[in-house]
Amino acid sequence: MNDVVTSGRSRAGGRAARQTLRATRDFRMLPGLTRNIPVCEVMDGGQVEKIDNASMDILENVGVLFRDPIALADWKKAGAKVVGEMVYLDRGLIRDMISTIPSEFTYHARNPANSVRLGGKHSVFVPMTGAPFLRDLDDKRRNPTLDDLAMFHKLSHMMPALHSTAHHIVEPYDHPISQRHLRITYSSMKHSDKMFMGMTTSPRNAEDVLDMCAILFGDDFLENHPVTTGNCNGNSPLVWDETMLGAMRAFSRRNQPVLCSPFVLGGANTPANVPASVAQLNAEALSALAYTQVIRRGAPAVYGHYLSTVSMKSGAPMAGTPEISLMNFMIGQMARHYRVPWRTSSLLGGSKIFDAQAGYESATTLSATLHAGANYIWHSAGWNEAGMHCSVAKFIVDAEQCVMAYRMAEGPKWGDFDAALAAIPDIGPGGHYLGHPHTQANFQTAYFMPELFDNNSIEQWTAEGEKDVTARALALARKLLAEYEEPKLDEAKNEALLDYIARREREIPAADELNQSY
Amino acid sequence: MNDVVTSGRSRAGGRAARQTLRATRDFRMLPGLTRNIPVCEVMDGGQVEKIDNASMDILENVGVLFRDPIALADWKKAGAKVVGEMVYLDRGLIRDMISTIPSEFTYHARNPANSVRLGGKHSVFVPMTGAPFLRDLDDKRRNPTLDDLAMFHKLSHMMPALHSTAHHIVEPYDHPISQRHLRITYSSMKHSDKMFMGMTTSPRNAEDVLDMCAILFGDDFLENHPVTTGNCNGNSPLVWDETMLGAMRAFSRRNQPVLCSPFVLGGANTPANVPASVAQLNAEALSALAYTQVIRRGAPAVYGHYLSTVSMKSGAPMAGTPEISLMNFMIGQMARHYRVPWRTSSLLGGSKIFDAQAGYESATTLSATLHAGANYIWHSAGWNEAGMHCSVAKFIVDAEQCVMAYRMAEGPKWGDFDAALAAIPDIGPGGHYLGHPHTQANFQTAYFMPELFDNNSIEQWTAEGEKDVTARALALARKLLAEYEEPKLDEAKNEALLDYIARREREIPAADELNQSY
């Protein structure tokens, strides 16, 4: 994919260099990103206090609806004021609860080389999930299958900047919905040895995922090590429902991190004002983060959100708008204020096809999330049509964009500054550097060269068939899939997982309605 | 284009709202951008000193080639060591010279409402220039004419976030090259009352441009007010040629700002190391900035660069690579260290067509230049194929992206924070905000809705003909051109300009070779 992830180094130009690059393609995962550029903070200390105070006022006086009898009982026991389904959370209680959330932790992958750190300066890229459609290897839009899901898990495994295979990148329609979570989880586990996400479509489904994790990692290991991630969406404004809270309990009880994600459509379910929307979102996130600590003190949890602004024309979520960037900057500040890791969404597109719109939207979101200092950077590959489809072409291009963002966020490299400076008098005014030994030794590592962006002359591009980036990405996807090598599961664990799935599929009735989740 | 630039406000949804938006489209220019987000600074103070010191060492010991007898004589008189064409610049001399460059100044447009501030927190967006081809209203790639240039000047006039019409956005091939600068300048002056750029294709051409500015603004006004901008490219490494230096003298003598722009292709004409490349570029820029002050102390000048990294495959400049972003962040720091305004290039694309590649590249560059805190943000609309063509479709989309970046860079708006917060208890958990009076009064100004990005459902998009962003942008371009109203020139000035052009075209022999400039 690029110089960072190719072993060896070519000093020849043109075709020979290209062949060398291809020959040495290296699929090894990049380590979790350790950011080394400053975060973009758009609020001063007083404004952070204003948001904090407004959120605490909301929690104390407006309250949060927990539509779940167990959560209501839990909150009562924890000392909150509970009136019907409404929970009023005192700021002292909130601050006390969130104080035990770890500010950083390590995710363990079944291949220890692929374990990654999260929180503080440590960030990971995770592919998109939840698409009810895909645009396939022929760019055809259709319903996905388990094979399509496996394809995306394989590609996630091979793209160096993706640190996770996530879970249901696409919804596999060829399997009964009620049993789908088992096959999805197995697909993530089988096709890659990176970390993965856990389905939260119901409390029982979450338990199944965690039982499978226990098979893969061992019960004791699971108890003390984050290995997967659950996402729990809130219904903004200020509502958490039974399904999500039940799934949250399953994860937190077993010490597995949960993304506490209000689902915000700015202006539709928040006020028509950016800081006030952040205040509401912040209250929502805090209420769920605090609840994870009611479930189990010290359990890892992540400040989440799904964040968009809505089109007045269609009511649909938009991507890459200025307010989404600003809210990301502000939410990052709030999460750092509370010292909890935070999640955002990246590389989002609202286009129906992989055109320039999708490119602008995706790159704008990616840039904002990097400058915002987000930790868990979700939906980082494939997302288009507001999440309605995952595009194979876009998946490949997005994954390379993550490599580029990764390099940007690492900051400038000063290692050989003096040696590089020494080349300047060697070359002198009017010279050129390509033949200089320092250039020949360092060109590939000094400057990133995107594989999927065509920078040839128009004559060459025409001679090569006038391929747009979609065509080039799909060709690369086919090539990658042909080169895929499965990182085999331990035979005994594999059988235990298959036994578990077989047993649960006998137990779970096969309903066939369709679900979606984000 | 958007709520910022529409007068009136619609409370109806859907089609009615759309019609209202159209009816009230407002082409008024947005004021020059005053940034209110922090700059991304990737160097600490010690690293800034390192770059400064390395640059000063280069200027003192490696030297800079000034291939121009007048400049060499000027430098000798100013106290520099001159050996042949090589000028060795002592750091004391450099620091003294650049100390008189204004850190901020105001550009005056012929319509005073369109005057803009530059430097410090003040930034402007300027369209691309120098394209030898265009992709026209039918997306056909061909050589441009004066009519095509006029079209781009009209569009520049109508796009609210573009603060300038620049000069030869495209090269008009239907007019003799030796006389082209006159028609280009007249086209900028006639079709818009925003500011514009001045051709620097030769010292005499620059004098023509400035004579025309004197006709438009008056001799006395010109003497004390920046009204146009010249760009002078250096030949990296460390060379300034006679044409550029002569044009620089023409501008600086008459107190008009010059962009002092080393032309950097990272790795080809700089070392294979980001900080060392910045040190060289910085030395080059400083040598030209200092020379503007040798010409005329106190004349405005802008720290410039054209900056790219090169593809190892084709030798072509790339866009949107991580190192370009990092170099922009670093150059911004250096320019602020010296307290001079600085120029960068934005929204660059290397794609042959307006596909997703162009979108990613453009948005990545735009975001980097905004976070870098660039002041003179050039090439902000139309640039694709590494500057070989200006695309009408991309021009329109880029210009809307500039509006979006502008809003992002203004930071969050706290004005009605308390009123917006008050809506939260009104709505309560589980409610929705669209019907709330605060939402109805503020939705349009709170959240930007891109006109060119389709966020409809796939069903609606299909019903509307499956138009990609190129098709939508070209349709909008046609519509805008149909609505264009010329901001008429004063009749006497117009005649004087035409007389000047007629006289100079009699004097200048009509050669017909082709030139290009960036």
Side-chain angles (χ1 to χ4, degrees):
Chain A
M1 172 112 304
N2 68 91
D3 40 288
V4 161
V5 293
T6 50
S7 54
R9 170 184 296 146
S10 163
R11 297 191 182 184
R15 182 177 302 269
R18 207 147 63 238
Q19 282 167 348
T20 309
L21 276 170
R22 277 180 190 153
T24 58
R25 190 191 295 277
D26 184 343
F27 300 113
R28 272 176 302 179
M29 193 183 89
L30 288 166
L33 169 63
T34 302
R35 277 187 317 97
N36 194 24
I37 61 169
V39 284
C40 180
E41 306 218 310
V42 297
M43 295 188 286
D44 61 27
Q47 289 168 329
V48 170
E49 291 304 325
K50 264 192 184 177
I51 297 286
D52 175 73
N53 193 51
S55 300
M56 296 301 179
D57 283 347
I58 292 167
L59 291 167
E60 288 177 351
N61 304 317
V62 181
V64 182
L65 263 180
F66 281 79
R67 290 189 171 138
D68 173 57
I70 301 173
L72 293 168
D74 286 345
W75 272 126
K76 224 174 261 177
K77 220 164 71 185
K81 178 177 153 197
V82 177
V83 181
E85 291 185 314
M86 197 72 97
V87 179
Y88 299 90
L89 294 159
D90 177 87
R91 66 191 68 201
L93 179 60
I94 288 281
R95 291 199 206 287
D96 175 41
M97 283 295 156
I98 64 170
S99 69
T100 46
I101 298 172
S103 58
E104 292 188 14
F105 60 86
T106 298
Y107 275 114
H108 294 267
R110 71 170 161 100
N111 176 355
N114 290 341
S115 295
V116 286
R117 190 103 185 128
L118 194 89
K121 289 182 174 299
H122 306 288
S123 302
V124 298
F125 292 107
V126 181
M128 81 158 289
T129 68
F133 295 88
L134 87 159
R135 278 194 180 269
D136 66 14
L137 285 161
D138 299 311
D139 203 31
K140 193 176 157 235
R141 187 179 183 278
R142 59 174 173 78
N143 280 136
T145 64
L146 276 169
D147 282 346
D148 294 318
L149 179 61
M151 172 187 68
F152 282 116
H153 284 154
K154 291 173 188 175
L155 292 175
S156 303
H157 180 63
M158 299 176 88
M159 304 309 281
L162 298 183
H163 297 105
S164 169
T165 53
H167 41 20
H168 62 323
I169 295 177
V170 289
E171 274 293 337
Y173 279 78
D174 55 344
H175 200 72
I177 181 169
S178 55
Q179 302 171 347
R180 228 177 254 170
H181 63 288
L182 301 163
R183 302 296 181 111
I184 290 166
T185 306
Y186 181 68
S187 182
S188 301
M189 289 174 165
K190 175 185 166 69
H191 294 110
S192 175
D193 54 10
K194 297 183 181 180
M195 67 160 171
F196 53 86
M197 295 184 75
M199 300 293 289
T200 50
T201 35
S202 80
R204 188 63 191 88
N205 289 357
E207 296 287 1
D208 279 335
V209 170
L210 293 162
D211 286 347
M212 290 174 73
C213 288
I215 294 170
L216 188 61
F217 289 95
D219 261 320
D220 291 351
F221 190 88
L222 189 67
E223 176 65 20
N224 297 304
H225 301 88
V227 305
T228 189
T229 308
N231 180 62
C232 294
N233 281 127
N235 300 331
S236 300
L238 298 163
V239 179
W240 296 94
D241 73 24
E242 191 166 9
T243 303
M244 292 284 99
L245 292 167
M248 186 182 290
R249 278 191 295 274
F251 275 76
S252 296
R253 262 194 222 124
R254 291 169 89 155
N255 217 20
Q256 298 303 308
V258 174
L259 314 179
C260 300
S261 306
F263 193 97
V264 161
L265 301 168
N269 61 18
T270 72
N273 171 279
V274 163
S277 295
V278 171
Q280 179 189 305
L281 185 159
N282 187 53
E284 293 163 347
L286 288 174
S287 68
L289 286 165
Y291 185 55
T292 65
Q293 303 304 297
V294 172
I295 301 166
R296 176 167 171 161
R297 291 230 70 159
V302 177
Y303 184 128
H305 65 82
Y306 174 86
L307 173 60
S308 192
T309 58
V310 295
S311 164
M312 200 184 59
K313 288 187 190 173
S314 62
M318 301 188 290
T321 63
E323 293 79 20
I324 295 175
S325 298
L326 291 170
M327 286 197 241
N328 267 299
F329 302 148
M330 297 169 83
I331 292 163
Q333 282 192 262
M334 296 315 297
R336 286 186 292 276
H337 178 71
Y338 303 120
R339 294 193 186 79
V340 288
W342 69 288
R343 167 243 156 151
T344 190
S345 310
S346 197
L347 286 144
L348 304 181
S351 187
K352 266 48 74 182
I353 49 174
F354 191 36
D355 63 355
Q357 172 181 341
Y360 285 95
E361 291 171 326
S362 300
T364 300
T365 329
L366 174 59
S367 166
T369 55
L370 265 286
H371 285 285
N375 301 119
Y376 196 95
I377 309 177
W378 195 5
H379 299 318
S380 289
W383 179 289
N384 211 356
E385 198 193 330
M388 288 297 286
H389 78 250
C390 181
S391 151
V392 176
K394 187 167 187 291
F395 195 93
I396 296 290
V397 175
D398 285 346
E400 185 175 63
Q401 289 292 305
C402 291
V403 179
M404 293 169 75
Y406 185 107
R407 286 188 61 141
M408 189 272 280
E410 284 184 309
K413 301 204 177 82
W414 289 81
D416 62 337
F417 179 56
D418 291 332
L421 278 183
I424 297 176
D426 285 356
I427 298 301
H432 63 86
Y433 287 79
L434 290 174
H436 192 278
H438 181 271
T439 304
Q440 297 199 336
N442 294 284
F443 192 94
Q444 277 203 50
T445 46
Y447 300 109
F448 185 86
M449 189 171 61
E451 181 170 4
L452 288 160
F453 286 178
D454 183 292
N455 286 294
N456 292 328
S457 67
I458 190 148
E459 292 76 18
Q460 172 116 17
W461 178 75
T462 303
E464 289 177 359
E466 302 199 344
K467 289 192 191 107
D468 69 2
V469 68
T470 305
R472 296 194 300 273
L474 291 174
L476 180 61
R478 285 179 194 277
K479 189 173 146 51
L480 291 175
L481 291 167
E483 293 177 26
Y484 169 76
E485 283 176 37
E486 189 178 314
K488 293 284 182 203
L489 277 165
D490 171 88
E491 196 52 50
K493 287 179 178 172
N494 187 43
E495 274 180 32
L497 286 168
L498 291 173
D499 286 351
Y500 184 89
I501 293 169
R503 173 170 70 78
R504 290 292 294 137
E505 291 195 347
R506 286 192 301 273
E507 293 168 3
I508 303 172
D512 61 5
E513 74 281 17
L514 178 132
N515 80 334
Q516 292 172 23
S517 74
Y518 287 85
Chain B
M1 172 115 300
N2 67 89
D3 41 287
V4 161
V5 292
T6 49
S7 56
R9 171 185 295 147
S10 165
R11 297 189 180 186
R15 182 176 303 269
R18 208 146 63 236
Q19 282 167 346
T20 308
L21 275 170
R22 278 180 191 154
T24 58
R25 189 191 296 277
D26 184 342
F27 300 113
R28 269 176 304 178
M29 193 183 88
L30 288 166
L33 169 63
T34 301
R35 279 187 315 96
N36 195 23
I37 61 169
V39 283
C40 179
E41 306 219 311
V42 296
M43 295 188 285
D44 60 28
Q47 289 168 328
V48 170
E49 293 301 326
K50 265 193 185 178
I51 297 285
D52 175 71
N53 194 50
S55 301
M56 295 303 179
D57 283 347
I58 292 167
L59 291 168
E60 289 177 350
N61 304 317
V62 180
V64 182
L65 263 179
F66 281 80
R67 291 187 171 140
D68 174 55
I70 301 173
L72 293 168
D74 286 345
W75 272 125
K76 225 173 260 178
K77 221 164 71 183
K81 179 178 152 198
V82 178
V83 181
E85 292 185 312
M86 197 74 98
V87 179
Y88 299 91
L89 294 160
D90 178 85
R91 68 190 67 199
L93 179 60
I94 288 280
R95 291 200 205 286
D96 176 40
M97 283 294 155
I98 63 170
S99 70
T100 46
I101 298 172
S103 59
E104 292 188 13
F105 59 86
T106 298
Y107 275 114
H108 294 266
R110 70 170 164 100
N111 176 355
N114 290 341
S115 295
V116 286
R117 191 106 184 126
L118 194 89
K121 289 181 174 297
H122 306 288
S123 303
V124 298
F125 292 107
V126 181
M128 82 159 291
T129 68
F133 296 89
L134 87 159
R135 278 194 180 270
D136 65 14
L137 286 161
D138 298 313
D139 202 31
K140 192 177 156 236
R141 187 180 182 276
R142 60 173 172 80
N143 281 135
T145 63
L146 277 167
D147 282 348
D148 294 318
L149 178 62
M151 172 189 69
F152 282 116
H153 284 154
K154 291 173 188 173
L155 292 174
S156 304
H157 180 63
M158 299 175 88
M159 303 310 280
L162 298 182
H163 297 106
S164 169
T165 53
H167 42 19
H168 62 323
I169 295 177
V170 289
E171 273 294 335
Y173 279 77
D174 55 345
H175 200 69
I177 180 172
S178 55
Q179 302 171 348
R180 228 176 255 168
H181 62 289
L182 300 163
R183 302 295 182 110
I184 291 166
T185 306
Y186 181 68
S187 180
S188 301
M189 289 174 165
K190 175 184 165 70
H191 294 111
S192 175
D193 54 10
K194 298 184 181 179
M195 67 160 171
F196 52 87
M197 295 184 76
M199 299 293 288
T200 50
T201 36
S202 79
R204 187 64 191 87
N205 290 357
E207 295 289 359
D208 280 336
V209 170
L210 293 162
D211 286 347
M212 291 174 73
C213 288
I215 293 170
L216 189 61
F217 289 96
D219 261 317
D220 291 352
F221 190 87
L222 190 66
E223 176 65 21
N224 297 305
H225 301 86
V227 305
T228 189
T229 308
N231 180 62
C232 294
N233 280 129
N235 299 331
S236 299
L238 298 162
V239 179
W240 295 94
D241 73 23
E242 192 167 6
T243 303
M244 293 283 98
L245 292 167
M248 187 182 289
R249 278 191 294 274
F251 275 76
S252 294
R253 261 193 224 124
R254 291 169 90 156
N255 217 18
Q256 297 304 306
V258 174
L259 315 178
C260 300
S261 306
F263 193 96
V264 161
L265 301 167
N269 61 18
T270 71
N273 172 279
V274 163
S277 295
V278 171
Q280 179 189 304
L281 185 159
N282 188 51
E284 293 163 346
L286 289 175
S287 68
L289 287 165
Y291 185 55
T292 64
Q293 303 303 297
V294 173
I295 301 166
R296 177 168 172 161
R297 290 228 72 155
V302 177
Y303 185 129
H305 65 82
Y306 174 85
L307 173 61
S308 191
T309 59
V310 295
S311 163
M312 201 184 56
K313 287 188 191 173
S314 63
M318 302 187 292
T321 63
E323 293 78 20
I324 296 174
S325 299
L326 291 170
M327 287 196 242
N328 267 300
F329 301 149
M330 295 170 83
I331 292 164
Q333 283 191 261
M334 296 316 297
R336 286 187 291 275
H337 178 70
Y338 302 121
R339 295 193 185 80
V340 288
W342 69 288
R343 165 244 158 150
T344 192
S345 311
S346 196
L347 287 144
L348 304 182
S351 187
K352 266 49 71 183
I353 49 175
F354 192 37
D355 63 356
Q357 173 181 340
Y360 285 96
E361 292 172 325
S362 300
T364 301
T365 329
L366 174 59
S367 165
T369 56
L370 265 286
H371 285 285
N375 302 118
Y376 195 96
I377 309 177
W378 195 4
H379 299 318
S380 289
W383 179 290
N384 210 355
E385 199 193 331
M388 288 298 285
H389 79 249
C390 181
S391 151
V392 175
K394 187 167 186 291
F395 195 94
I396 296 291
V397 175
D398 285 346
E400 185 175 64
Q401 289 293 305
C402 290
V403 179
M404 293 168 75
Y406 184 108
R407 285 185 64 139
M408 189 270 280
E410 285 184 308
K413 301 206 177 79
W414 289 80
D416 62 336
F417 179 58
D418 291 333
L421 278 182
I424 297 175
D426 284 357
I427 298 302
H432 63 87
Y433 287 80
L434 289 175
H436 193 279
H438 181 271
T439 304
Q440 297 199 335
N442 294 285
F443 192 93
Q444 278 202 50
T445 47
Y447 300 109
F448 185 86
M449 189 171 60
E451 181 170 5
L452 288 159
F453 286 177
D454 184 293
N455 287 294
N456 292 328
S457 68
I458 191 149
E459 292 75 16
Q460 172 116 19
W461 178 75
T462 303
E464 289 177 1
E466 303 200 343
K467 288 195 191 104
D468 69 2
V469 68
T470 305
R472 296 194 300 272
L474 291 175
L476 180 59
R478 285 179 193 278
K479 189 173 145 51
L480 290 175
L481 290 167
E483 292 177 27
Y484 170 75
E485 282 176 37
E486 188 177 315
K488 292 284 182 204
L489 278 165
D490 170 86
E491 196 53 48
K493 287 179 180 174
N494 187 44
E495 275 180 33
L497 286 168
L498 292 173
D499 286 349
Y500 184 88
I501 293 169
R503 174 171 69 79
R504 290 291 295 138
E505 291 195 344
R506 284 191 303 272
E507 292 167 3
I508 303 171
D512 60 7
E513 74 281 20
L514 179 133
N515 81 334
Q516 294 173 21
S517 74
Y518 286 87

